[in-house]
Amino acid sequence: MATRNIRLDGDSVLRKICKPVKEMSYRTSVLIDDMFETMYAANGVGLAAPQVGILKRIVVIDVGDGNPLALINPEITFQEGEQTGDEGCLSLPGLVGQVTRPMHVVCKALNREMEEITVEAEGLLARAICHETDHLDGILYKDKAEDGLYEVE
Ligand code: ZN
């Protein structure tokens, strides 16, 4: 495993639409391992493949609930409620902004074995799934931050 360079805001790769994963290859498996390592090294709760320069529909998320998730071709199929709170992104280090997201989501995806899974999420996990899935369509949270971004110490 290895950490990879995290692409920063302004890099055009972050604005591209990612392609679905059709099969689990060795390269993709290594990519997922590296994404977890990169996310943990940067103290993030989520990372999407375009953030390490790979235009594939893969995200990794670990909100500290003991259940790290690798979601392949994730799709949000249901959302309900609303939460507004601070959000940040490893591609925009040192910044946060207020973003409104659904309180509950249901996400369908494939796991590393390419089996269909359904994740029901609320709160922080719901926010992370929305944020990371947006990355796969070239959307950054700053596009949705109601009062712009501000610096954190
Ligand atoms: Zn992000």
Side-chain angles (χ1 to χ4, degrees), residues 91-110:
S91 293
L92 293 93
L95 298 171
V96 293
Q98 293 259 305
V99 183
T100 299
R101 300 284 191 185
M103 180 56 81
H104 299 269
V105 299
V106 175
C107 178
K108 291 196 189 304
L110 302 174

Side-chain angles (χ1 to χ4, degrees), residues 46-48 51 87-92 131-132 135 139-141:
L47 189 72
Q51 291 181 278
E87 204 165 305
C89 179
L90 294 177
S91 293
L92 293 93
H131 177 116
E132 301 308 333
H135 271 298
I139 299 166
L140 298 176
Y141 85 95

